[in-house]
Amino acid sequence: MTSAEKHPIGRPATLHDVARLAGVSIATASKALNGRKHVSAATRAEVLKAAGLLAYSPNTLARGLVAGRTGMVGLLTNDLEGRLSIPILMGAEDAFGADRTSVLLCDARGDAIREGHHLRTLLSRRVDGLIVVGARPDPRPSIGRDLPVPVVYAYAPSADPADLSLVSDNVSAGRLAVEHLADLGRRTIAHITGDATYGAAQDRAGGALAELAARGLQLAGDRVYFGAWSEAWGRTATRMLLGRRTAIDAIFAGSDQIARGVIDALHAEGLEVPRDVAVIGFDNWEIFATSSRPPLTSIDMNLETLGRVAAERLAAAFDGTLGSGIEQLPCRLIPRESTTAT
């Protein structure tokens, strides 16, 4: 019998239609479609075939109510610009895509009261879990342990060790930057970075210094130049370094914005990048990295991977335990012309 004979024209197919076409009960059809146990392989195949013939799309809300889930996850962020939260959102959506889970984005704008309001709103919508994204990669207050859903913190770790946090490995990233420059033959490497109160700035600097020491190299300029996360600071710090008459053949900048300022200052002094001084940035913020002249080699924090892994941890928690502590994910190098001439 054809699907047209079994299914009236003009309305979507229902679970009842699928069960009737497959010759099974509604309960059996539901179990087969949701991958439940106690359904034979042959029966499952018949149900899936019937669903395909009818172009059946399950009612996600109804299916979630049966399973105790709604198919919605909240992403609560304090990232005003979206530069961090959007890639994490994309990674989470990619991971959840096969399960037809929607991710609801709420921006607290750095306001604790607004964050509490968004949290209550998301919980009232019966989200299955939460991903919390901070504005800077330093510990942030936990949103609480006694929540009815699992929570994963991404980019900024929770201050509570009982929570599960996913962060970029900034120490290894600092080592990666110096490793790349040293492998290109650079020996007098300086480091200009941002606000010293940022744990990420300290971690990146620590990794860079450790890699220099492992290779028997000294930090050019005798100290890490901490300052602002801005192009202006990149220009100022570079002029300070050049004013010391210190030999420099490479600069590792703690952000792409700083790196752009570094390149401007080097060009103003008649130095060519990368021939005279190689420059590497951090963040792989493409609007800065690709429009720089020359295009900027940068360290990418793999934020989409953070989002994907956060989604995977939540999905696992739906049927088990979430875990706790801080999990570090590796960064990656994106080479461009600012360190290697084409």
Side-chain angles (χ1 to χ4, degrees):
M1 189 172 290
T2 67
S3 60
E5 292 172 313
K6 281 286 186 179
H7 175 50
I9 296 173
R11 67 169 177 82
T14 66
L15 182 60
H16 180 270
D17 296 325
V18 174
R20 186 171 58 175
L21 182 58
V24 299
S25 69
I26 293 176
T28 298
S30 177
K31 290 178 183 178
L33 290 170
N34 286 286
R36 300 289 185 84
K37 298 178 181 179
H38 311 303
V39 177
S40 70
T43 299
R44 192 183 309 279
E46 284 297 319
V47 172
L48 292 175
K49 179 181 178 182
L53 286 171
L54 296 173
Y56 171 67
S57 178
N59 184 318
T60 304
L61 179 58
R63 183 181 61 184
L65 291 171
V66 173
R69 296 197 294 271
T70 60
M72 295 185 293
V73 166
L75 193 151
L76 183 58
T77 180
N78 281 287
D79 171 29
L80 300 178
E81 299 173 342
R83 184 167 64 87
L84 306 172
S85 56
I86 296 305
I88 291 173
L89 171 66
M90 292 171 62
E93 287 185 329
D94 286 346
F96 281 132
D99 293 328
R100 300 183 183 180
T101 296
S102 300
V103 182
L104 309 179
L105 175 64
C106 292
D107 185 1
R109 305 180 190 176
D111 185 331
I113 295 176
R114 187 185 296 269
E115 180 178 86
H117 168 72
H118 284 321
L119 175 60
R120 290 188 294 272
T121 299
L122 289 168
L123 292 177
S124 72
R125 294 195 175 192
R126 302 181 67 247
V127 294
D128 299 324
L130 293 165
I131 299 172
V132 180
V133 181
R136 55 185 283 180
D138 291 315
R140 53 144 292 147
S142 173
I143 62 173
R145 293 190 190 182
D146 300 324
L147 297 176
V149 296
V151 181
V152 174
Y153 295 79
Y155 183 70
S158 168
D160 188 342
D163 292 326
L164 176 64
S165 302
L166 305 175
V167 301
S168 299
D169 187 344
N170 285 291
V171 174
S172 293
R175 298 195 71 134
L176 181 61
V178 170
E179 178 184 87
H180 174 67
L181 294 169
D183 285 349
L184 292 173
R186 308 293 172 156
R187 292 295 177 267
T188 51
I189 302 170
H191 184 32
I192 299 172
T193 191
D195 190 340
T197 67
Y198 275 59
Q202 296 288 348
D203 288 344
R204 293 166 194 172
L209 292 171
E211 186 63 24
L212 286 170
R215 292 172 178 263
L217 301 175
Q218 297 292 321
L219 180 68
D222 300 323
R223 67 180 177 90
V224 175
Y225 283 74
F226 290 102
W229 301 103
S230 67
E231 292 185 53
W233 169 240
R235 289 190 291 269
T236 298
T238 302
R239 288 194 295 266
M240 292 167 63
L241 274 167
L242 296 176
R244 292 171 57 108
R245 305 298 178 188
T246 301
I248 301 171
D249 63 12
I251 296 176
F252 167 34
S255 76
D256 292 341
Q257 289 172 279
I258 293 172
R260 283 276 296 264
V262 168
I263 291 175
D264 286 348
L266 291 172
H267 287 166
E269 293 296 321
L271 297 170
E272 186 175 329
V273 179
R275 185 194 65 191
D276 301 316
V277 182
V279 178
I280 184 170
F282 204 105
D283 295 333
N284 193 36
W285 193 358
E286 290 205 3
I287 192 171
F288 281 94
T290 59
S291 62
S292 175
R293 291 294 176 264
L296 181 64
T297 292
S298 188
I299 302 293
D300 191 309
M301 290 186 289
N302 278 337
L303 295 177
E304 287 195 33
T305 299
L306 276 179
R308 176 179 57 76
V309 175
E312 291 171 352
R313 297 291 181 272
L314 280 182
F318 297 156
D319 299 312
T321 58
L322 181 62
S324 61
I326 296 177
E327 184 176 337
Q328 294 187 324
L329 278 65
C331 299
R332 60 177 176 148
L333 176 79
I334 307 298
R336 297 188 181 93
E337 287 88 333
S338 69
T339 57
T340 308
T342 56

